[in-house]
Amino acid sequence: MTKTLTNITLKIWRQSGPDAPGGFESYAIPEISDEASLLEMLDLLNERLIEDGKEAVVFDHDCREGICGTCSLMIDGQAHGPQKGTATCQVHMRVFSSGDEIVIEPWRASAFPIIKDLMVDRGPFDRIVEVGGFITAATGGAPDANLIPIPKPVADASMDAAACIGCGACVAACPNGAANLFTGAKLAHLNLLPQGQAERYQRAEAMVETMDAHFGSCTNHGECEAACPKEISIDVIALMNADYLKAKFKNRKALSRS
Ligand code: SF4
Ligand code: FES
């Protein structure tokens, strides 16, 4: 049954630009349906701000279905908020209570500088994907299903890694600002499949070294896995580390033969 929440206070981080000083501003939401999503509540707040001649709160969103990875809010100090395995756009007001104060901030990571208010620049993720998150080997047209036999556990593990939506919560949740879960997922997605083998070790070396150039180091806190809306397993990091180590030998050998 639908309920109406009353007396919600939002404490929202406002910052006019990357180098401007930021700070929290409070906004009262007198009432809101518990069926509304958190982003719908921000939409309503923005309509009110615009009607009052004030600047709307800038925040990222696109699909609002948990699939694009665009939404990115720290809600009460947790990346994507209090619900496990849930992206910001899928957080609904029913997880809150009347009288709650909800603190909303942008991702906090030096690799993701704030553009404005709650929107950050996640370009360093693109740099990682640009150096290896693809297959260039000519594979011809789409083959018939099952033409390349792939054991089910391998296909499942690759598919699980491919669920990464590139949201950046893993980086925001990590005390070191490390991007190992994201990079590990992107590598596992391709490196586990037969089609990914030709470039497996070049991909591992290039993506890990690009990651290291932009992000902090992993010290196995596990906060990334806990914050991930797609529940990507931290196992992808172990796979990435093993592939990177092998790459350092295999790529040298290949170079010495060329
Ligand atoms: S690994 Fe999870 S938290 Fe990190 S970018 Fe991918 S979906 Fe987001
Ligand atoms: S808006 Fe697309 S995942 Fe949230």
Side-chain angles (χ1 to χ4, degrees):
M1 214 176 71
T2 309
K3 268 194 345 202
T4 300
L5 303 186
T6 54
N7 290 326
I8 301 285
T9 305
L10 301 180
K11 263 182 85 180
I12 299 180
W13 185 263
R14 304 297 312 258
Q15 184 170 332
S16 60
D19 301 319
F24 284 105
E25 284 186 25
S26 290
Y27 302 93
I29 304 290
E31 56 179 45
I32 183 93
S33 162
D34 72 345
E35 286 187 348
S37 72
L38 185 111
L39 295 189
E40 283 167 343
M41 181 177 59
L42 290 181
D43 291 339
L44 292 172
L45 171 67
N46 276 345
E47 278 173 25
R48 203 175 83 197
L49 290 173
I50 291 165
E51 274 168 20
D52 294 347
K54 297 186 179 143
E55 268 204 65
V57 178
V58 174
F59 63 95
D60 256 330
H61 60 99
D62 191 0
C63 71
R64 298 202 179 195
E65 291 180 350
I67 52 176
C68 74
T70 311
C71 58
S72 49
L73 298 178
M74 294 298 285
I75 304 164
D76 287 340
Q78 282 180 282
H80 288 305
Q83 238 174 331
K84 201 169 156 38
T86 306
T88 292
C89 59
Q90 300 289 286
V91 174
H92 285 77
M93 293 310 295
R94 52 184 164 266
V95 300
F96 301 101
S97 306
S98 290
D100 275 359
E101 179 183 81
I102 306 170
V103 180
I104 302 177
E105 298 168 82
W107 283 168
R108 299 288 188 195
S110 55
F112 294 158
I114 292 175
I115 297 170
K116 192 167 180 180
D117 294 336
L118 304 171
M119 181 187 273
V120 300
D121 176 5
R122 283 169 281 184
F125 269 9
D126 297 336
R127 305 294 89 75
I128 296 172
V129 171
E130 279 162 10
V131 297
F134 47 79
I135 290 175
T136 59
T139 53
D144 285 344
N146 300 328
L147 203 62
I148 304 172
I150 303 172
K152 178 134 183 6
V154 173
D156 285 350
S158 171
M159 192 63 199
D160 287 349
C164 167
I165 54 175
C167 61
C170 45
V171 175
C174 175
N176 305 328
N180 290 48
L181 196 69
F182 166 79
T183 312
K186 296 297 165 205
L187 279 166
H189 163 204
L190 298 173
N191 282 0
L192 287 170
L193 293 175
Q195 296 92 330
Q197 297 312 304
E199 292 157 306
R200 178 172 186 164
Y201 296 105
Q202 289 96 316
R203 176 182 302 117
E205 189 169 14
M207 290 179 80
V208 169
E209 291 180 0
T210 304
M211 170 189 82
D212 286 343
H214 291 278
F215 295 92
S217 302
C218 173
T219 46
N220 291 321
H221 281 265
E223 295 290 335
C224 52
E225 187 184 64
C228 176
K230 297 296 150 186
E231 302 188 296
I232 302 283
S233 163
I234 207 164
D235 290 353
V236 296
I237 299 180
L239 188 75
M240 174 178 78
N241 291 340
D243 270 9
Y244 180 67
L245 191 65
K246 284 188 214 154
K248 295 310 280 183
F249 292 102
K250 286 180 183 280
N251 294 348
R252 296 286 162 286
K253 257 186 166 172
L255 263 181
S256 67
R257 276 200 300 269
S258 62

